[in-house]
């Protein structure tokens, strides 16, 4: 499943940036997420704040007894995360930590 992560520094701020990942499931609120990048010494750590689901449903009449149910689809899943210090925080990640 494609998951879009957006990162914020504190409550009410606009997202700093985003990254997409193919994942087997959706992280839950409170989960710790650590991102490692090639060529970067250290990692970036985040705590999941909330999940935003964007769904689409066809304009169909209400289901009738015995009729085939109409199902919608998932357009996107956006995971909003807050920067947190981690045991191996990269130097590039540390300025965002001071904004909290």
């Amino acid at each position: 499943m494609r998951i879009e992560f957006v990162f914020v520094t504190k409550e009410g701020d606009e997202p700093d940036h985003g990254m997409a990942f193919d994942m087997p499931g959706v992280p839950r609120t409170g989960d710790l997420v650590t991102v490692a990048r090639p060529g970067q010494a250290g990692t970036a750590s985040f705590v999941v704040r909330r999940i935003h689901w964007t769904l689409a449903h066809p304009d169909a009449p209400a289901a009738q007894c015995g009729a085939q149910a109409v199902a919608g689809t998932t357009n996107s899943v956006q995971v909003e995360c807050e920067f947190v210090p981690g045991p191996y925080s990269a130097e590039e990640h540390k300025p965002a930590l001071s904004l909290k």
Side-chain angles (χ1 to χ4, degrees), residues 16 40 61:
D16 180 51
Q40 182 181 34

Side-chain angles (χ1 to χ4, degrees), residues 25-73:
V26 180
R28 296 176 303 208
T29 300
D31 281 354
L32 177 66
V33 177
T34 300
V35 178
R37 293 182 177 193
Q40 182 181 34
T43 60
S45 295
F46 311 92
V47 170
V48 174
R49 183 188 287 169
R50 58 180 71 98
I51 312 298
H52 301 266
W53 293 82
T54 304
L55 308 175
H57 197 274
D59 190 19
Q64 308 251 336
C65 186
Q68 181 71 22
V70 178
T73 58

Side-chain angles (χ1 to χ4, degrees), residues 23 50 54 63 69 76 91 97 100:
M23 300 179 67
R50 58 180 71 98
T54 304
S76 68
E91 289 302 315
L97 296 171
K100 288 182 69 173

